[in-house]
Amino acid sequence: ELKVEQNPLFLSMQEGKNYTIYCNYSTTSDRLYWYRQDPGKSLESLFVLLSNGAVKQEGRLMASLDTKARLSTLHITAAVHDLSATYFCAVAWGAQKLVFGQGTRLTINP
Amino acid sequence: DTGVSQDPRHKITKRGQNVTFRCDPISEHNRLYWYRQTLGQGPEFLTYFQNEAQLEKSRLLSDRFSAERPKGSFSTLEIQRTEQGDSAMYLCASSAETGKAFFGQGTRLTVV
């Protein structure tokens, strides 16, 4: 059974700082996703990572994938308050479902 | 709006009642998924349709839960004899054959 673990689960940081969220998974997969969720809202797709060494960047967020280590990272550069949200990684299991991590609740303070 | 649409957005029901939720996927997507999310947790897979065929069901989906997608378009998720433990956000998602999944706004169920 595929297990997906994120850390940290809670992260409070100051604006302007850099930080990284880690996502480890237990079984080989060919797709990994990062989603953002605001309180009471649904999931917004951020990145899809398909191959070893894949790196995607959008604004202050950058995601990478190491399939050999079964590890993905979401790096936040020079954080701003608008990035406060819960971030989930999700790993494709078979052709038809995603297994999600527990989520990282990110709070960015002025 | 061409995104995934779910109805209702909120539902409060008494324990023991039946509830039904609807999901309208993105029109060209043949894959449809239901997930359940409880407070502070990531979404958990419930079931998956390809066109009208239900191809996988999670062990989380007890006999009280049933899902349909009769014409390969919209889907319904019914919960019979609701229990307090059914309180959660029910999320629907759709995707094309190999594309990423797009999620709807969810239906928040509260069982009192």
Side-chain angles (χ1 to χ4, degrees), chain B residues 12 14 63-64 110:
Chain B
I12 300 174
K14 291 184 179 180
D63 290 345
R64 296 184 298 105
T110 303

Side-chain angles (χ1 to χ4, degrees), chain B residues 31-49:
Chain B
R31 296 184 173 195
L32 186 146
Y33 315 80
W34 286 98
Y35 287 81
R36 181 173 69 187
Q37 185 179 24
T38 53
L39 203 59
Q41 301 296 316
E44 295 173 294
F45 172 80
L46 292 179
T47 191
Y48 156 70
F49 290 85

Side-chain angles (χ1 to χ4, degrees), chain A residues 1 31 33 35 37 40-43 45-46 48 88 93 95-103 105, chain B residues 9 31 33 35 37 40-43 45 48 56 59 89 91 98-101 103-106 108:
Chain A
E1 184 179 343
R31 283 168 291 143
Y33 300 80
Y35 285 90
Q37 187 175 40
K41 300 292 180 63
S42 189
L43 296 156
S45 177
L46 296 174
V48 181
F88 292 96
W93 181 237
Q96 56 262 30
K97 72 181 181 186
L98 300 176
V99 178
F100 284 79
Q102 313 96 305
R105 182 177 294 181
Chain B
R9 295 288 306 279
R31 296 184 173 195
Y33 315 80
Y35 287 81
Q37 185 179 24
Q41 301 296 316
F45 172 80
Y48 156 70
E56 186 173 349
R59 286 170 292 183
M89 174 82 89
L91 294 165
T98 57
K100 68 181 178 182
F103 283 80
Q105 295 287 82
R108 183 171 296 281

Side-chain angles (χ1 to χ4, degrees), chain B:
Chain B
D1 188 339
T2 57
V4 178
S5 177
Q6 291 188 245
D7 183 71
R9 295 288 306 279
H10 303 274
K11 178 72 177 179
I12 300 174
T13 191
K14 291 184 179 180
R15 190 173 50 189
Q17 297 294 304
N18 298 345
V19 293
T20 300
F21 310 141
R22 178 179 169 122
C23 171
D24 287 274
I26 294 171
S27 58
E28 59 267 29
H29 286 178
N30 63 341
R31 296 184 173 195
L32 186 146
Y33 315 80
W34 286 98
Y35 287 81
R36 181 173 69 187
Q37 185 179 24
T38 53
L39 203 59
Q41 301 296 316
E44 295 173 294
F45 172 80
L46 292 179
T47 191
Y48 156 70
F49 290 85
Q50 183 156 330
N51 300 310
E52 66 275 9
Q54 187 175 20
L55 297 184
E56 186 173 349
K57 290 167 56 174
S58 164
R59 286 170 292 183
L60 293 174
L61 218 61
S62 76
D63 290 345
R64 296 184 298 105
F65 288 72
S66 62
E68 293 183 343
R69 193 183 184 196
K71 297 182 179 178
S73 56
F74 74 92
S75 175
T76 57
L77 178 67
E78 181 183 15
I79 309 174
Q80 296 182 325
R81 305 181 303 282
T82 51
E83 302 172 357
Q84 287 190 320
D86 297 332
S87 295
M89 174 82 89
Y90 289 84
L91 294 165
C92 176
S94 70
S95 72
E97 194 67 31
T98 57
K100 68 181 178 182
F102 291 83
F103 283 80
Q105 295 287 82
T107 295
R108 183 171 296 281
L109 173 67
T110 303
V111 181
V112 298

